[in-house]
Amino acid sequence: MAKQGTKGRGAAQAIVWGSVLWSSAALAEVTLLQQDRDNPDWLSRLNLAVGGSIRPQFNNMTGSGDKGSFKRNGFDGGTRFRFSADYALRDGVSWITYYEVGVNVPKVFNWEPHYAPGAPNTTKRMLYTGLKAGEMGTLTLGQQNSVYYDVVGAKTDIWDDDMLGQAPGNGISGDYDGSYRARKQMKFKNRYGQTELYGAWLFPDSEYLPGDGTRYRRKGGGSLGVDYHFSPDLVWGIAWNETRAEIKRPAGGDAKRYDQHIIGTALSWTPAQWTFAAGGGWYKNFLKTASHRPDSYFAGDAWGIEYFAGYKVPVGRAALKSVQPYIMGDRLQYTTGRDYHRIDNGLGITFQFDYGFRVDYEHVFTSSSDNLGDMNLVRLRYDF
């Protein structure tokens, strides 16, 4: 059977993307069930809500380094859907559950070449449950954001081409090494006055296969974090995570255990229309080297920083709510185990429209040991 022409296929895909976006516009944040404490019926104790974000995106790197890449052709930049439930057990105590699934829309519709070879249709981003008990805090169990991400990473995870200098997103796998959306994690958080405390325990996990002939297994670990709220718009955080892990190569019969440590700090300041954020961390036995040998698989020491500064200009005309120009950047530097660095600095602008629609454009200037080109990217986004 003859393949559909590139232009015809692109037009059809654009129509489907547009249909998904506009059909979702009628939904907004949907509360399926609302708690009513005055009603004695058991179902009145349940609050059930759904939401999500649809994100088609285009990345274009200068030069020919990404020629023919699925990202240059247009791809899914992180579409996800979330479901949350809160059941009131008694006054001040609730049982909470949260599920978030990532959906690779081009892969679901088999739009080639708009997804990576072997990419899954869906990805479990988070799934956890637990108890929320007023002044006693919140205790949750399952796959969820790590303490390090909550306290450090999230403060600078606020533009598109970000997380290139911080620990979450640069390790062997943020789901397994405990740095990002950590699997099999028990997490506690509570606020005492201006101080918010976090703690987590990482249970042993199954093997992760990086695809290079090795096997990674988390043996356990733990995290601690503190957010100090100087004011409602000024927050400083510091976090530490340790993961005990083993790398083995069955073909060679060799293995090595590692104590992986990440420690970082970040500051977020949002006065009026401004947003400022900066953070950095030190990573020991955490970033990968170019070696596939277990005894030299992770770099001994590395560090990274990120920054962001933007100003939101209110508009309120012709469905355009605001415009936010910003500058941003990051740096990742190995100090042992590998001779590598990457430095990014960029300019961006966000157009926020009514009904949750948004358009982001960024240009990133890159200097790196592997001579990566500069990046232009456009992301269309609908949040509901």
Side-chain angles (χ1 to χ4, degrees):
M1 181 180 294
K3 290 187 177 181
Q4 184 181 8
T6 302
K7 291 184 178 179
R9 184 170 64 247
Q13 293 166 4
I15 290 172
V16 175
W17 265 119
S19 299
V20 171
L21 286 170
W22 284 105
S23 63
S24 299
L27 296 176
E29 177 79 8
V30 178
T31 299
L32 301 179
L33 289 174
Q34 179 70 51
Q35 286 179 354
D36 180 6
R37 300 292 182 85
D38 296 328
N39 191 326
D41 186 88
W42 70 270
L43 196 58
S44 67
R45 295 175 174 267
L46 178 63
N47 195 81
L48 186 63
V50 299
S53 182
I54 301 171
R55 307 184 182 192
Q57 182 169 327
F58 298 84
N59 286 11
N60 190 327
M61 184 180 291
T62 58
S64 58
D66 68 339
K67 188 176 181 180
S69 165
F70 73 96
K71 291 188 176 183
R72 177 174 284 203
N73 294 326
F75 67 105
D76 193 298
T79 295
R80 76 285 306 267
F81 299 94
R82 61 182 181 270
F83 308 87
S84 60
D86 184 313
Y87 188 80
L89 299 174
R90 60 181 180 84
D91 288 345
V93 180
S94 295
W95 173 35
I96 59 175
T97 301
Y98 182 87
Y99 174 56
E100 184 172 293
V101 58
V103 179
N104 191 333
V105 176
K107 181 62 169 61
V108 170
F109 290 99
N110 291 320
W111 293 343
E112 296 182 356
H114 298 279
Y115 54 87
N121 288 359
T122 61
T123 304
K124 184 179 71 174
R125 293 172 57 87
M126 286 189 273
L127 176 60
Y128 62 86
T129 189
L131 294 174
K132 181 173 63 175
E135 295 182 356
M136 295 180 64
T138 302
L139 182 68
T140 48
L141 179 65
Q143 183 171 353
Q144 55 195 305
N145 285 337
S146 69
V147 169
Y148 190 95
Y149 179 80
D150 278 346
V151 176
V152 177
K155 290 180 175 59
T156 54
D157 184 15
I158 51 179
W159 70 96
D160 192 347
D161 200 31
D162 57 5
M163 296 184 68
L164 300 176
Q166 58 169 282
N170 278 304
I172 189 169
S173 172
D175 294 352
Y176 285 82
D177 62 26
S179 64
Y180 194 5
R181 293 187 295 267
R183 292 157 44 99
K184 299 183 180 181
Q185 175 185 203
M186 182 169 62
K187 185 171 71 173
F188 169 81
K189 65 178 180 179
N190 199 10
R191 182 162 177 171
Y192 306 92
Q194 294 175 272
T195 303
E196 201 164 6
L197 297 181
Y198 296 76
W201 178 259
L202 299 172
F203 295 97
D205 203 350
S206 57
E207 287 186 332
Y208 169 70
L209 307 180
D212 55 12
T214 63
R215 296 172 180 265
Y216 174 92
R217 183 187 290 273
R218 187 178 77 205
K219 299 292 186 177
S223 307
L224 293 172
V226 178
D227 260 336
Y228 188 79
H229 298 256
F230 293 96
S231 67
D233 56 21
L234 180 60
V235 183
W236 170 68
I238 183 169
W240 162 85
N241 181 85
E242 178 192 18
T243 299
R244 300 182 300 278
E246 181 184 62
I247 282 283
K248 63 181 180 179
R249 186 177 57 174
D254 49 346
K256 182 177 179 179
R257 292 199 174 191
Y258 286 91
D259 286 329
Q260 300 180 284
H261 293 269
I262 55 177
I263 185 169
T265 185
L267 186 73
S268 175
W269 186 33
T270 55
Q273 305 300 322
W274 287 97
T275 298
F276 299 99
W282 188 267
Y283 320 131
K284 184 175 181 61
N285 296 329
F286 181 78
L287 297 184
K288 292 174 60 178
T289 67
S291 172
H292 294 166
R293 295 172 46 192
D295 62 353
S296 57
Y297 196 84
F298 290 110
D301 293 293
W303 57 271
I305 57 173
E306 291 190 336
Y307 72 88
F308 176 95
Y311 183 81
K312 183 178 293 185
V313 182
V315 178
R317 294 183 180 179
L320 180 61
K321 297 178 66 175
S322 64
V323 176
Q324 184 186 44
Y326 53 89
I327 60 173
M328 72 290 188
D330 54 69
R331 176 167 183 157
L332 185 67
Q333 178 75 57
Y334 285 69
T335 58
T336 61
R338 184 183 178 189
D339 183 15
Y340 182 82
H341 74 271
R342 174 173 180 161
I343 304 171
D344 298 299
N345 292 285
L347 303 169
I349 188 166
T350 291
F351 300 91
Q352 182 68 59
F353 297 92
D354 288 337
Y355 306 110
F357 289 99
R358 169 175 156 181
V359 178
D360 301 325
Y361 169 76
E362 294 176 2
H363 182 84
V364 182
F365 303 92
T366 299
S367 171
S368 67
S369 301
D370 49 358
N371 297 315
L372 293 173
D374 297 343
M375 179 70 73
N376 285 290
L377 61 86
V378 177
R379 178 174 64 182
L380 312 177
R381 178 169 166 173
Y382 173 67
D383 296 305
F384 61 94

